[in-house]
Amino acid sequence: MQLNQSNLSRLPEELNPPSYDRSRIKAGIVHVGVGGFHRSHEAYYTDELMRSSDTSDASAWGICGVGLREADRKIAKVLRNQDCLYTLIVKDPGGDVRTRVIGSLVDVLLGCDDPMAVIEQMASSDTKIVSLTITEGGYNVDPASGDFDTANADAIHDVQNPQQPRLVFGYLTAALRLRRERGLPAITVQSCDNIQHNGDLTRKMLLGFARMQDADLVKWIEDEVCFPNAMVDRITPVTSSADIDYLHRQLDLDDAWPVTCEPFCQWIIEDNFSNGRPEWEKVGAQFVTDVTPFETMKLRLLNAGHSVLGLLGSLFGYQTIDQTLGDELFVTFLRGFFDDEATPMLDAVEGIDLGQYKSTLIERFGNPNIKDSLARICLESSSKLPVFLLPTIRRNLEQGGPIAHATLVIAAWCYYSEHHTDRHGNPLDVVDEQEAALQQAARKTIRDPLAFIKLESVFGNLAEDGRFAETYEHFVQDLYRNPDVSILMRQATVNDEAKDKPQI
Ligand code: CS2
C-alpha cells in the first residue's frame, strides 16, 4: 500500500498512524533542511505533541518543510508523493522495532524552483518559527575570523538578488523585511544543528548578511528576532534500502524514504522565543535558561566519542559504530578517553550523572540495529574535531592532564587523510570540505612529522605545544611504520591499567 493521506485510515495498527485531524493543522513552523535528523527529532516531537494534546493549540504548529537547493529535489518529490507523510522506524538495542507514521509535516517547498514561495511562507502571519538543520557548512562562517564570509559567491549573489536568494540568510532577510513592512511580528529563528551555541551563531551570521544587504533592517532583527540555543540529540543513521524493504515486506507499506533512529531522544532548548512556541516540554523536551553545560557535555562525550570510534575504527577496517564497539579493545579505549581525558575537563551538569550518561552512551553506540556508518561519522571531520576533540586536548595541556587517547585519534586522522585507506589498504570514502588541504599537509609527514598538526585552519597553534607535539610525533611515526592502530591503542590502555595499580 502506498503511503499517503487517503490510505492513512487503512494502515495497520503497528504503523501507528497519526490520531489527529491533519486537515486542521496550520504551518506555524517553516523548517529548512528536511533530512533524516529533522524527521527523527523536531518533526517527531511535534507529531507527539499533536497526538497527546486535545487542545487546538498544537494544530497551529504544523511544519512546512523547505529545501533550498537542487540536491533537495529528491526528498521534496518523495514527500509530495506521500502527502508529506513518512515512517519513523525506531530500533531498540534488544532488537525490537517500532514504527510510526509521522503527520506533523504538512507541506514542502523547494526554494530553487520558487524562491518567492518560500519567502512568502516565512513571511506568512501563520509562521512563528523558522527552524534550521543546514549543517555546519550552511552557516557560511569565514574560518579565519569566525564572522560571516562576505566573500562567498552565493552571499554576493544574494545581496544583489534579494528575490532569488541561494543562502538561507538571503531567504530569512527577505522574509523579515516583508514582515516588518507588513507590520507583522518577528519570528524566532531556531537552529537545530549540532553546533555549539547554535542560536548565537545563527544570529551572528544572519546579522552579518543583513549588514551587507540592508543595514536598515539590522536593528529590527537585533531587537525583535530571538535565536534560542539548543542541544539536540538522536542518533539517526542514513536510511538504507533494507529499511525500505522492511516496511514493504513486513507491513506492506510503500514509503520511498523512511527514517531510522535509536529510541533515545533529547532536546534542551533555551526558552527564548519571539512569537510563541509549541509546548514541546509536554512531550519530553526541556526548556532551560542556559544550554551551555548540556551542549558541552554532548559535544565532548557523545560527538567526540563518535569521532574516536569513527577515525580509529575506519583505519582498523570496521564499517559501523556498533561493529567497532563489538571489539573489547575499542570499548576499553573509549572508556579511557571518556574517564581520563574528557570528563575531568567538564563542569558539573545540573540534573545529570555523568557516569550514567557515559554508560548510556556506550549502550547507545553499541545498538546493533543502528548500523551507523563510520563514513557518516567521519564526514567533515575538519569542522567537527576542532569542536568535539581539540578543546579537551587544550584544557588537558593547560592543566597537565593526560592527552594520549585524543592525540592518537589525531595521528590516525593524519594517516587516514593522506592515504584514504584502512590499515589493509582498502579504500575509504573521505568527504571533507578541507580534504585537499588535509591531504597535502599529511603528505609532508615523512619529511616533517608535525606537518599535519601545523594546519592552522584546523589546529590553530596547537603544534607549538611541546608536550602535544612530542606525543603526536611518536604516534604518527609509529603509525606510518605500521598502520595497525590497535597496537598503539593497546599501549594506551595498558598505560591506563598501570596507572590504577598501586605504585611501588
Ligand atoms: C555524529 C552526530 O556527525 C557526527 O559526528 O556524532 O551526527 C551524532 O550522531 C548526533 O549528534 C547524535 O545526536
Side-chain angles (χ1 to χ4, degrees), residues 82-319:
Q82 303 184 169
D83 298 321
C84 299
L85 295 162
Y86 64 93
T87 320
L88 188 64
I89 310 176
V90 182
K91 298 183 177 177
D92 283 343
D96 281 354
V97 175
R98 281 167 290 129
T99 44
R100 82 141 92 191
V101 171
I102 301 273
S104 52
L105 204 63
V106 290
D107 198 2
V108 55
L109 300 173
L110 199 55
C112 53
D113 277 356
D114 188 354
M116 273 323 284
V118 173
I119 293 171
E120 281 294 345
Q121 185 70 36
M122 291 176 172
S124 148
S125 59
D126 285 341
T127 301
K128 315 276 193 265
I129 294 174
V130 173
S131 56
L132 316 173
T133 43
I134 53 175
T135 75
E136 281 90 346
Y139 289 84
N140 192 43
V141 183
D142 172 355
S145 64
D147 294 329
F148 186 77
D149 182 0
T150 51
N152 176 286
D154 288 342
I156 294 167
H157 167 274
D158 286 9
V159 170
Q160 287 152 5
N161 299 279
Q163 312 228 312
Q164 286 184 326
R166 290 179 185 156
L167 299 180
V168 70
F169 303 108
Y171 280 92
L172 283 167
T173 307
L176 288 167
R177 192 182 304 115
L178 282 182
R179 296 186 79 96
R180 189 178 64 157
E181 279 166 19
R182 296 173 182 171
L184 289 171
I187 41 171
T188 301
V189 182
Q190 181 176 20
S191 169
C192 300
D193 277 299
N194 184 49
I195 293 179
Q196 208 165 18
H197 304 330
N198 54 12
D200 297 347
L201 179 74
T202 310
R203 181 175 193 274
K204 187 171 174 188
M205 296 304 123
L206 179 61
L207 289 171
F209 176 77
R211 259 179 224 115
M212 285 172 77
Q213 194 191 53
D214 187 346
D216 207 30
L217 193 64
V218 170
K219 174 112 181 45
W220 192 77
I221 298 178
E222 280 172 344
D223 292 346
E224 305 292 330
V225 182
C226 293
F227 301 83
N229 291 309
M231 181 264 244
V232 294
D233 191 8
R234 186 168 221 180
I235 295 175
T236 308
V238 180
T239 304
S240 70
S241 53
D243 299 320
I244 298 174
D245 290 350
Y246 171 83
L247 291 177
H248 180 75
R249 271 186 292 103
Q250 302 288 319
L251 297 157
D252 184 31
L253 183 72
D254 287 329
D255 179 342
W257 204 333
V259 181
T260 305
C261 65
E262 62 170 344
F264 183 93
C265 199
Q266 198 172 32
W267 198 5
I268 303 192
I269 314 166
E270 286 179 4
D271 202 354
N272 169 30
F273 286 74
S274 323
N275 192 359
R277 62 164 176 81
E279 293 175 298
W280 282 313
E281 69 275 27
K282 289 195 168 155
V283 289
Q286 208 181 326
F287 285 92
V288 297
T289 46
D290 180 11
V291 82
T292 311
F294 298 95
E295 64 182 16
T296 309
M297 167 186 82
K298 189 210 163 190
L299 294 165
R300 303 228 192 128
L301 291 171
L302 184 148
N303 296 118
H306 258 163
S307 296
V308 167
L309 298 174
L311 287 162
L312 299 177
S314 294
L315 190 50
F316 191 76
Y318 289 132
Q319 311 290 324

Side-chain angles (χ1 to χ4, degrees), residues 378-411:
C378 296
L379 281 179
E380 303 300 339
S381 285
S382 68
S383 56
K384 292 177 177 177
L385 296 205
V387 185
F388 300 171
L389 200 62
L390 302 187
T392 293
I393 298 183
R394 281 208 182 86
R395 291 200 62 183
N396 274 308
L397 288 171
E398 279 158 27
Q399 301 187 16
I403 56 165
H405 294 75
T407 308
L408 178 56
V409 176
I410 307 293

